[in-house]
Amino acid sequence: MFRPLFFAGLLCHALAAPLCAGDSGGKALRAALPGLGAAPCALGALRCVTLKVPRDHLANDPDATIDVTFAISLASKASKGILLYVVGGPGGSGLAVADDYLAAFDASLTENMDIVFFDQRGTGPATGLECPAAGAAFDTAAMPLEPPDAAIAVARRFVADCQAELAETELLPFVNTAQAIRDLEVFRGQTGGAKIWIYGESYGTQFAQEYARAFPQAIRGVILDGVVDLNLSNEAFYKTYITASERILNRVFAACATQSGCEADMGADAGQVYDGLVAQLAKAPATVSLPLADGTLATRVLTADMLQTNAFYGLYGVQGRADFLRALAAAAQGDLRPMLRQAYVNLLINPATGESIPDPTWYGAAYYAITCSDARDPGEGTEAVMDQIIAEARAFALQAPRLLRAYYAERLACALWPRHGPLQRPAPFAGGDYPTLVLNADTDPITSVSMAYSVFQNVRNGYLVVMQGGPHVIWGRGFACPDQIVQALLYDGTLPEAGVQICKQDFTAGYEPLTMRNPADAKDAFTVLRSLATEVNQSPGLNSWDGEAALAIGCDHGGSVTVSAGEDATVYAFQACGWWPGLTFDGTGTKVEAGDAGDGLTLDLAISGAHAGRIIYRHNSHTEAVSLSGSYDGGPASTPLPVP
């Protein structure tokens, strides 16, 4: 029943019919949506279309189909083109993040562009593959190289447990990029057949390259952000990004010496502190007493592998680098709770139960189904290849002494995965008559800038933007330099400057020194409240809140703090919260982040214990002004006059 719409779109594109003169594809897209049953998405505010596509595009089996859902944001002004947005992962749900992504971009994007997100096969409610329990166990397990059978056994257990956890496994052979790009082409054909801009972030750059290579007639332009070099062998890909990550981690440790308070909190060179903690945890995982919101203490374990995970994840952005240093400094002073909480956030583990947290944006089994199906090591599925991976890891250890697990853990899992990808890598992506814009940070840990350079050197009509000190993925993160270059290309067809353009970003966010380490500091109400505000902003537990259901975490010395959504604000409720020994807080906090003069954090708290009082504290993040009022230890409390 979609044949008339499909052919109308093709004729419009091929013959440049008067109806479509000057149109960028938006009219055809709008015309097609009602006939495709467009309706409000189950998640978010966009409109969704669900299409039946062949389960196997390479087989002649019309009865074997799956559902793939696309979410569409239509331009609020005259459309300047269709932008297909491919999220990272693989395993990320485009539909689940679409609203948040669009809200983070400049408003001009949704005004000028029709934007399409989608749930790639293997993700989303219809075909989602997830094994959270097996994934959490795998990510937290100790996986030493010696004896080699130990690491292989962990990988083997993960693959078996993950498959057992899946609701169905029939789709596994068909969850790969080669099938998924054909799903997108079905959507493009049924919505008018217009040429599209395709943007990919991280893994999405792999998808975008493969789609553009297979369907060059569909492409108006390609934007690759955080670039995967498809020409690299499996081993070379892991070596490339782990080598880059080690280099960036060394820079993070060196930055501690230049950050106010970091070196003093650390008590030694940050790299030495990290290496010492890894060695200690490698001998025996640390047992940590973790306070829970219900007032009980849970016994939890911190492993060397969890520490490495925190170090690696911390490299993804400027704030994460500073946050990891702060958790490491706390560990240097004997407090492992921040590091454990950070690991739970990174690994999506509920601190109250120690079990995985459901995440509608992420499908972990799809990650392995796609990753392992797209590329492989020679001899996958045999004992010999696993021994070879272990041998390569041993040889690589001197080049990756701090993040070695990431080099071999995933490769072992893929060696045992039931579906293996092609051994031969595709030829370098050559681009086309359309522009290809390559974006990357030179401090990207997972898609090393060297991969962006390789892709750029091989494409026709290529343009390169490199952000010094930036995060993984640089467009739409609030950086004017790449944002304006991308928007000019999308809206007006303005080509970037020929060759390479350099943007710059601070390598790390400012380090926030550890607070209230001296009991004498508690005598000063201003120091106490300012320290509490710092801890609220720095708490891994509170910062993991998804903005929806209320989240309660335990305070380190009893009681709890709950974060929830208020009217146009984030609300905190403190209940007998002992953030430090001898100080208990009861009351509320409100954080406003509307982007105007009223932004900031207000705390209205009663304090009891070794000191007593009632304080109202206000930090205006727009002006950076701080003020204090109330009473403390029987006297008035007010903002102190700075001493020159």
Side-chain angles (χ1 to χ4, degrees):
M1 63 178 171
F2 305 131
R3 185 182 297 269
L5 292 172
F6 175 70
F7 281 113
L10 289 182
L11 288 171
C12 174
H13 170 62
L15 304 179
L19 175 65
C20 303
D23 180 36
S24 59
K27 289 180 181 177
L29 176 64
R30 283 166 170 75
L33 292 181
L36 295 174
C41 297
L43 290 172
L46 304 185
R47 296 188 69 75
C48 277
V49 165
T50 297
L51 301 180
K52 288 195 177 298
V53 300
R55 185 178 66 177
D56 182 359
H57 286 276
L58 306 180
N60 184 18
D61 187 356
D63 295 327
T65 62
I66 61 171
D67 289 344
V68 177
T69 300
F70 299 81
I72 301 98
S73 168
L74 295 174
S76 60
K77 297 181 178 179
S79 173
K80 295 188 175 183
I82 300 171
L83 174 66
L84 196 291
Y85 198 117
V86 190
V87 300
S93 164
L95 269 62
V97 301
D99 285 343
D100 287 341
Y101 274 32
L102 293 178
F105 280 96
D106 186 90
S108 63
L109 184 67
T110 53
E111 292 172 352
N112 289 288
M113 303 296 296
D114 298 315
I115 307 158
V116 179
F117 291 83
F118 66 106
D119 273 349
Q120 183 173 336
R121 56 171 60 204
T123 71
T127 64
L129 301 173
E130 49 188 339
C131 54
F138 182 56
D139 290 337
T140 58
M143 209 169 178
L145 282 176
E146 298 295 345
D149 289 349
I152 294 170
V154 171
R156 194 184 302 280
R157 185 165 58 251
F158 162 68
V159 172
D161 290 350
C162 183
Q163 291 181 79
E165 205 173 333
L166 294 176
E168 62 94 9
T169 59
E170 291 183 359
L171 190 61
L172 282 178
F174 312 107
V175 177
N176 55 54
T177 305
Q179 295 281 355
I181 60 174
R182 289 164 172 80
D183 297 339
L184 172 57
E185 186 61 2
V186 170
F187 171 82
R188 191 184 73 88
Q190 293 198 14
T191 54
K195 287 179 178 284
I196 62 170
W197 290 95
I198 186 165
Y199 167 87
E201 60 174 17
S202 194
Y203 158 76
T205 68
Q206 174 179 332
F207 186 106
Q209 290 175 72
E210 294 195 29
Y211 179 82
R213 192 200 309 269
F215 306 106
Q217 76 284 357
I219 301 300
R220 190 173 173 189
V222 173
I223 304 171
L224 307 175
D225 193 354
V227 186
V228 176
D229 180 2
L230 304 184
N231 195 229
L232 290 175
S233 68
N234 219 28
E235 179 188 4
F237 172 77
Y238 283 90
K239 274 189 175 179
T240 298
Y241 91 72
I242 297 301
T243 301
S245 297
E246 288 274 344
R247 183 174 62 250
I248 298 164
L249 182 58
N250 291 340
R251 282 189 61 182
V252 171
F253 292 148
C256 182
T258 68
Q259 293 270 350
S260 177
C262 184
E263 198 168 41
D265 283 348
M266 205 72 67
D269 174 78
Q272 292 177 356
V273 172
Y274 175 83
D275 293 340
L277 185 56
V278 168
Q280 173 188 331
L281 296 176
K283 290 180 181 177
T287 300
V288 182
S289 292
L290 189 67
L292 303 181
D294 63 3
T296 61
L297 284 175
T299 300
R300 298 283 186 255
V301 172
L302 178 69
T303 67
D305 301 78
M306 294 164 75
L307 177 59
Q308 287 190 45
T309 296
N310 283 352
F312 180 69
Y313 279 30
L315 303 179
Y316 272 61
V318 295
Q319 186 61 54
R321 295 162 192 162
D323 291 346
F324 176 69
L325 284 174
R326 196 170 195 267
L328 185 63
Q333 297 195 23
D335 186 0
L336 295 177
R337 289 168 298 194
M339 189 64 74
L340 180 65
R341 293 184 194 273
Q342 198 173 89
Y344 283 172
V345 169
N346 287 330
L347 298 173
L348 296 175
I349 294 174
N350 185 339
T353 63
E355 299 174 353
S356 60
I357 300 172
D359 181 0
T361 72
W362 180 247
Y363 292 81
Y367 174 85
Y368 284 95
I370 298 167
T371 298
C372 303
S373 296
D374 280 359
R376 68 183 177 97
D377 284 295
E380 272 187 352
T382 67
E383 295 295 328
V385 71
M386 290 181 284
D387 292 340
Q388 180 64 28
I389 291 169
I390 294 292
E392 289 171 359
R394 288 199 196 100
F396 191 53
L398 289 178
Q399 296 170 258
R402 290 169 167 161
L403 298 170
L404 187 61
R405 186 190 198 272
Y407 174 74
Y408 62 86
E410 203 170 276
R411 291 176 66 198
L412 287 174
C414 276
L416 293 157
W417 196 257
R419 174 76 177 179
H420 303 139
L423 181 58
Q424 186 169 351
R425 303 308 300 138
F429 177 59
D433 295 335
Y434 48 80
T436 295
L437 177 58
V438 178
L439 308 170
N440 228 95
D442 68 348
T443 48
D444 185 330
I446 184 67
T447 50
S448 165
V449 71
S450 63
M451 291 195 262
Y453 295 160
S454 295
V455 171
F456 170 67
Q457 288 164 3
N458 284 293
V459 296
R460 294 157 48 205
N461 301 314
Y463 305 87
L464 176 64
V465 176
V466 178
M467 172 165 277
Q468 293 180 307
H472 175 55
V473 179
I474 63 174
W475 180 43
R477 269 53 178 178
F479 305 126
C481 179
D483 286 5
Q484 291 175 9
I485 293 169
V486 173
Q487 288 161 200
L489 179 62
L490 289 174
Y491 304 166
D492 306 315
T494 302
L495 295 176
E497 297 290 333
V500 182
Q501 294 184 80
I502 303 296
C503 304
K504 194 167 185 178
Q505 164 66 28
D506 290 341
F507 175 64
T508 66
Y511 177 83
E512 288 287 352
L514 302 175
T515 60
M516 301 289 289
R517 292 293 161 175
N518 185 348
D521 291 340
K523 295 179 180 178
D524 176 22
F526 186 74
T527 298
V528 170
L529 269 294
R530 193 164 198 172
S531 296
L532 183 62
T534 296
E535 296 301 333
V536 167
N537 288 325
Q538 292 291 314
S539 165
L542 295 177
N543 288 339
S544 69
W545 179 54
D546 62 8
E548 297 179 0
L551 172 69
I553 68 166
C555 301
D556 283 351
H557 299 277
S560 66
V561 57
T562 301
V563 58
S564 61
E567 187 173 350
D568 301 322
T570 299
V571 177
Y572 301 95
F574 297 81
Q575 275 194 308
C577 174
W579 212 287
W580 302 281
L583 284 176
T584 300
F585 300 91
D586 287 276
T588 62
T590 305
K591 183 188 287 186
V592 178
E593 297 175 296
D596 57 33
D599 283 3
L601 175 67
T602 300
L603 299 173
D604 185 352
L605 298 170
I607 304 170
S608 58
H611 300 270
R614 179 65 184 264
I615 304 288
I616 296 177
Y617 170 92
R618 167 69 177 158
H619 172 224
N620 185 308
S621 57
H622 183 76
T623 63
E624 293 301 330
V626 179
S627 62
L628 184 80
S629 63
S631 62
Y632 195 69
D633 285 346
S638 60
T639 310
L641 296 175
V643 177

